[in-house]
Amino acid sequence: MILTSFRCRNFRNLAQLDWYPPQGMVLLVGPNGAGKTNLLEAITVLGNLTSFRSGKPQSWVRHGEAGYLLRGELVGSSGPVVLEQQGRLGKGLYRQLFRSGRRVSPAEYLTLAPVAACSAADQELVLGTPEHRRRLLDRLTFHLAPTTLDLLLRFRRALRQRNALLAAHHPAPETFAAFERELAQTGAAIVAHRLTACTLLQQALEQELTSLGWLLPKPVLRYHAPEGLEAAAAASELLAQFRRSRPQELTRGHTLLGPHRHDLCITLQGRPAREQLSAGQVKLLATALRLAALRVATERRGLVPLLVFDDVDAELDGATLRRLLGRLATAANQTMLSTAHPEVVVPLAANATVITVRDGKLFSPAEGSYR
C-alpha cells in the first residue's frame, strides 16, 4: 500500500497540510514538538481509526476547532482507493468514514488501508498489561480473517450485558442464559483465532529477531487463559465455566473469566521477558513483534500495509539501528520514520527522502544537510 497524497485539517498542530509523500523510505526530522509524531499519528488514524498514542480521540482535534479532516489517496494491489475521515466534537468524537466518496462502516473501512505503526508505546507489549498484547493478537486475527471483528464486537456486547446483570440486585438465574450462550460461542471462536495467530506470530518473530541481530535466547510466546483454555475449547466447555463461576461473580459484580482476561505471555528460558531485558532489548523485542505481525499479514493475506515508525532511533545503539533501518527498508513499499536526531539517523538511511518538520509544516532540507 502506498500513500500518494494526504490532506489534513486541524489534527493536533497540523492546521492545514497537503502532502504528496514519495515512495520508499521517508524520514521526518525536526525537534521535539515540531509535529513529526502528529503527522505519523494522523496517517495511522486515517488507516486504522486508532492511534499508537494513549489518550482520548477528542485530543486529536486542534485546540479551538470543532473537528478534523483526514483524506488520503492510496494505491494497493487492488488499485487506487480514497479514504476520508471527518471527525466532529460532541459529547465524544463523532466520525464519518468514506471510501471514494461512499460512506462505509468501520468494519469495511478497516480492511482498505491498514497501517503498521511502531512507536515508543510498543514497550507496553513487553512491559505492560495483557490488554496491549491482546490488541496485538486481535489486530492480527482481523487481518487474517476480517470476520473476527464481528466476533469481538458481539462478545463485548454480551459481556457488557452480563456484567450489568451481575451488578444488579438478585437477578433471576434464567436471565443469564442468552448472554452466556453468546459469550461462550463467540469466546470459543475468538480463542481459536488467537491460537492460530499466536502460532504464526511465534514463527515470524524468530525470523525478525534473527534479522535484527538478537543475541539472547529466542523468546517464547504462549497464549494463557487463567481458566485453562490454552487449547481450542468447545463453546459448551466455556458455557459450563460461565455457569460455575456465576455465584462468585455475583459478589464481585463482573465477569472473571473469558477472552477479555487472557494474555499472550512472553518468556525467555521460562522467565518473563520483562524481568530480563534492558530498555534497548525491550524496544527491539517490541519492534520485532510488530514486524512479525506485519510479516504474517503479508505472507498469509498479501497485505502490505504502509509502515510508520515514530522516534525510530530511541534506545538503540548504532549497530542495532543500522540493522533495523535495513529491515524497515524491505518491510513495506512505503515506510515513514521520525527522529529528533538527524545527525545520527540520516547517515544510516542512505536512500531515504529527508523532510524537515517545523511548526506542523513540511520542508525539504538542502541537499546533504544531514549527511
Side-chain angles (χ1 to χ4, degrees):
M1 187 65 68
I2 297 172
L3 181 65
T4 58
S5 74
F6 181 64
R7 169 169 292 185
C8 178
R9 298 290 185 270
N10 299 321
F11 188 98
R12 295 200 186 266
N13 77 329
L14 307 175
Q16 183 169 328
L17 179 68
D18 291 281
W19 185 34
Y20 298 90
Q23 295 187 32
M25 182 177 287
V26 179
L27 185 60
L28 304 174
V29 305
N32 293 329
K36 307 182 304 296
T37 299
N38 293 343
L39 176 54
L40 295 182
E41 181 185 28
I43 292 170
T44 302
V45 170
L46 174 70
N48 295 351
L49 300 180
T50 58
S51 172
F52 52 78
R53 301 161 96 174
S54 59
K56 295 182 178 180
Q58 294 93 308
S59 65
W60 301 339
V61 179
R62 181 177 171 85
H63 181 68
E65 300 293 338
Y68 70 82
L69 168 71
L70 300 175
R71 186 178 187 274
E73 298 183 26
L74 301 105
V75 177
S77 58
S78 59
V81 63
V82 178
L83 296 187
E84 185 171 318
Q85 187 177 139
Q86 300 173 7
R88 292 289 179 268
L89 287 177
K91 292 183 179 179
L93 182 72
Y94 173 70
R95 282 188 280 184
Q96 292 182 313
L97 310 175
F98 299 89
R99 172 186 184 176
S100 300
R102 176 175 60 87
R103 192 168 178 182
V104 297
S105 67
E108 178 180 347
Y109 186 96
L110 286 168
T111 64
L112 300 175
V115 176
C118 303
S119 73
D122 288 342
Q123 68 175 352
E124 297 300 320
L125 292 174
V126 180
L127 304 178
T129 62
E131 179 182 5
H132 299 281
R133 293 178 288 276
R134 287 196 300 268
R135 288 177 182 170
L136 174 73
L137 268 186
D138 288 340
R139 181 166 290 275
L140 179 55
T141 62
F142 170 74
H143 289 317
L144 294 175
T147 56
T148 57
L149 178 60
D150 180 62
L151 287 172
L152 287 164
L153 293 175
R154 287 168 52 195
F155 180 86
R156 291 168 186 167
R157 182 168 57 249
L159 180 65
R160 288 193 301 269
Q161 293 165 327
R162 186 175 189 266
N163 283 342
L165 280 177
L166 291 171
H169 294 293
H170 309 296
E174 60 270 17
T175 60
F176 286 91
F179 302 135
E180 289 178 346
R181 282 196 301 271
E182 178 77 346
L183 283 174
Q185 292 169 358
T186 56
I190 288 168
V191 170
H193 282 293
R194 286 179 178 174
L195 287 168
T196 298
C198 182
T199 299
L200 296 173
L201 195 63
Q202 174 74 65
Q203 298 166 356
L205 177 63
E206 294 177 4
Q207 295 174 286
E208 293 297 339
L209 288 172
T210 297
S211 71
L212 295 175
W214 184 261
L215 299 177
L216 298 176
K218 293 290 173 48
V220 174
L221 306 181
R222 181 175 64 84
Y223 189 80
H224 175 63
E227 65 272 15
L229 295 177
E230 282 93 352
S236 58
E237 179 184 351
L238 190 53
L239 178 59
Q241 294 201 15
F242 281 126
R243 289 170 175 168
R244 285 196 299 269
S245 66
R246 195 190 303 158
Q248 179 187 5
E249 292 169 337
L250 282 166
T251 65
R252 301 284 292 274
H254 59 272
T255 303
L256 299 175
L257 61 88
H260 63 295
R261 296 177 63 87
H262 295 176
D263 195 3
L264 177 66
C265 295
I266 309 173
T267 59
L268 272 72
Q269 295 183 313
R271 294 174 54 202
R274 63 178 177 272
E275 298 176 359
Q276 306 178 62
L277 302 179
S278 67
Q281 291 165 337
V282 166
K283 174 167 182 175
L284 198 60
L285 175 54
T287 299
L289 283 166
R290 291 291 188 198
L291 293 176
L294 174 60
R295 180 188 288 264
V296 171
T298 300
E299 293 179 350
R300 294 281 168 161
R301 290 291 308 279
L303 296 172
V304 186
L306 167 66
L307 174 62
V308 305
F309 203 133
D310 186 46
D311 206 9
V312 66
D313 56 307
E315 307 290 354
L316 299 181
D317 60 64
T320 302
L321 178 60
R322 185 185 296 275
R323 285 192 292 269
L324 174 58
L325 290 172
R327 174 66 184 108
L328 294 177
T330 63
N333 296 325
Q334 191 177 42
T335 303
M336 299 181 185
L337 320 176
S338 74
T339 180
H341 305 99
E343 71 283 358
V344 173
V345 180
V346 174
L348 302 178
N351 296 320
T353 300
V354 180
I355 295 175
T356 298
V357 185
R358 292 196 300 269
D359 299 322
K361 298 180 175 62
L362 307 185
F363 303 87
S364 296
E367 183 67 27
S369 296
Y370 304 109
R371 298 193 189 277

